Amino acid sequence: MSEIEKVECLIIGSGPAGYTAAIYAARADMSPMLYQGMQPGGQLTTTNEVENFPGYPEGVTGPEMMVQLEAQAKRFETDVRFGFITKVDFSGSVHKAWADDGKEIHADTIVISTGATAKYLGLESEQKYLKLGGGVSACAVCDGFFYRGQETVIVGAGDSACEEAHYLSKLCAKVTMLVRRDEFRASKIMAERVKNTENIEILFNTETEEVLGDGQVVTGVRVKNNKTSEVKDIPATGFFVAIGHKPNTDIFKDYINLDDTGYIVYEQPGTSKTNVAGVFVAGDAADKTYRQAVTAAGTGCMAALDAERYLAAKGH
Ligand code: NDP
């Protein structure tokens, strides 16, 4: 039989949302337990320099910031667990969760901060330069600044790709946008904005063959027109992938309301409440618009405060 642990607050996920929720919950004497998930530290552990998180005038690397957030959560005695939650049952008044280490956890409140995972093309060369931190990124707002005055390539044709291409166009000398079909998926207004931006060149029916580089950093992108089979190399120092994100919400789908792309729907906008009383959400698992460390941290704070108030109303 599995061991049952009872907690007032279980936090699932260890990005800025999860750790911020932990800091607030711990300081409110809720003795939170936090399961770090498959990627301890979350998406920021795959970024280099973070220059837009307030309070770091010189910037900080993503992994370093996450180590500091973890240390801050532990300073107030958050029970940080290495491992991930595999299953939940939110059908009763006590919320149940099972971890990969066999533990069964009964929690009065739950904060879901499982985040989202950026999709990549999966090309070997793309993954190589992503891991090297040499010019592949899935976040223009995070990394665009490093390519000021340079030439970049962005893949994708949805609202995110259009928004990011437009963002990059204000910083970069030139942005080449690769669209695999002969039309955008994005809303008309977003597509029009991109089409009307002088330094964005759109290549339709075009796919990425290879991300080119010198072994350290990206130097260009080899693309192929899937109608004519013409192959050409585009010089670029940055390769941005904007082909969507997958929110990490699969294990909650039997209990929590999700939208048609899998993002958790707030029961009451302006709060962190989900459709299940006592279960709150923070960060990218419910955010397909902002996706920033600072917004995730903000909603983490909201979730912990909402959880505390929920417990107080129940007489805890
Ligand atoms: P989407 O799923 O809408 O779009 C993904 C895009 O990536 C599609 O154009 C798709 O091409 C392309 N793509 C997927 N795989 C590949 C591949 N292997 N190679 C090349 N291209 C590929 O994701 P978004 O992140 O853009 O948007 C998600 C949701 O968030 C949407 O509902 C969107 O409207 C919303 N959103 C709204 C914003 C706003 O209103 N400000 C901003 C950002 C997002 P294809 O079209 O051929 O399938």
Side-chain angles (χ1 to χ4, degrees), residues 121 155 157-160 163 180-181 185 243-244 288 291:
L121 298 175
V155 187
D159 282 332
S160 296
E163 202 166 70
R180 67 178 173 182
R181 293 183 294 135
R185 177 177 295 274
I243 60 171
K288 60 183 170 195
R291 299 191 188 114

Side-chain angles (χ1 to χ4, degrees), residues 121-181:
L121 298 175
L123 297 171
E124 204 181 303
S125 53
E126 169 206 58
Q127 292 301 307
K128 175 178 157 186
Y129 288 103
L130 173 67
K131 290 198 180 94
L132 283 170
V136 172
S137 169
C139 180
V141 177
C142 318
D143 299 325
F145 187 74
F146 303 116
Y147 303 94
R148 270 170 306 160
Q150 301 172 37
E151 296 189 10
T152 54
V153 169
I154 182 164
V155 187
D159 282 332
S160 296
C162 289
E163 202 166 70
E164 303 219 338
H166 192 250
Y167 183 88
L168 288 173
S169 73
K170 289 191 252 158
L171 298 166
C172 302
K174 184 181 174 191
V175 180
T176 306
M177 194 168 184
L178 310 180
V179 175
R180 67 178 173 182
R181 293 183 294 135

Side-chain angles (χ1 to χ4, degrees), residues 16 24 30 34 36 42 66 185 193 213 218 240 299:
Y24 273 79
M30 291 161 75
L34 179 149
Q36 288 182 312
M66 296 322 299
R185 177 177 295 274
R193 188 182 301 160
V218 171
F240 288 86
T299 52

Side-chain angles (χ1 to χ4, degrees), residues 39 181 183 225:
Q39 187 181 26
R181 293 183 294 135
E183 61 177 359
N225 183 303

